[in-house]
Amino acid sequence: GGGSSSNGGVVLDFRSEVMRRVQEFVDDPEATSLAFEPMDAKGRYIVAEEASEFSGLTDITEGEMLDEKHVVLYKAGHVPEDDCPPTRLASVAADPSAHSGPASEAPAPRRAKAAAPKPPVDELRVLNTVKRDRRTIEEIQRERKKLRGAEH
């Protein structure tokens, strides 16, 4: 590893690795989705940008917390249903009486996101620089007590 001058090389390496994985995914007729590992906004931006070079791919960012957000690419016709997690689909399939209404009422397929304007690179921020406090309440109270004792 070098100084900050090698940073551009790291991004190029990452970009070419993403391109290689997306190309393999597109070339594999069996594959319907490709999930990338959790990454920051800049990484997700690069994945979405590279995926946009291929027609028929939809990129969806999944994960609730910043350190869980990741991009999943889907081929046309394989984008998951909107607001319908697999657990719910499985329970409806297992128990037909749980589903109310006629069988013809299939949920509407999720529409692919319109290509949002990409932010300029200088507006991107580094994520996960401030880690979540994972201490228990008792640990925090102990530390505060210790600090209060030191002040007097």
Side-chain angles (χ1 to χ4, degrees), residues 35-124:
F36 283 81
E37 56 283 343
M39 59 183 75
D40 63 13
K42 197 169 192 174
R44 296 192 307 271
Y45 172 81
I46 289 172
V47 171
E49 197 176 47
E50 294 303 321
S52 71
E53 299 293 315
F54 297 88
S55 64
L57 290 185
T58 302
D59 62 281
I60 297 177
T61 299
E62 297 181 359
E64 296 295 312
M65 307 304 282
L66 289 179
D67 56 0
E68 296 169 353
K69 286 187 183 259
H70 62 283
V71 176
V72 182
L73 302 180
Y74 294 96
K75 288 183 181 173
H78 296 282
V79 179
E81 301 294 326
D82 209 2
D83 298 322
C84 216
T87 51
R88 190 170 149 241
L89 284 174
S91 66
V92 168
D95 182 10
S97 65
H99 181 67
S100 59
S104 63
E105 277 185 30
R110 171 183 289 186
R111 285 172 191 82
K113 289 181 188 167
K118 304 279 190 226
V121 174
D122 55 48
E123 284 185 21
L124 297 175

Side-chain angles (χ1 to χ4, degrees), residues 116-132:
K118 304 279 190 226
V121 174
D122 55 48
E123 284 185 21
L124 297 175
R125 290 181 291 140
V126 178
L127 296 179
N128 298 332
T129 51
V130 179
K131 295 294 180 195
R132 275 182 275 167

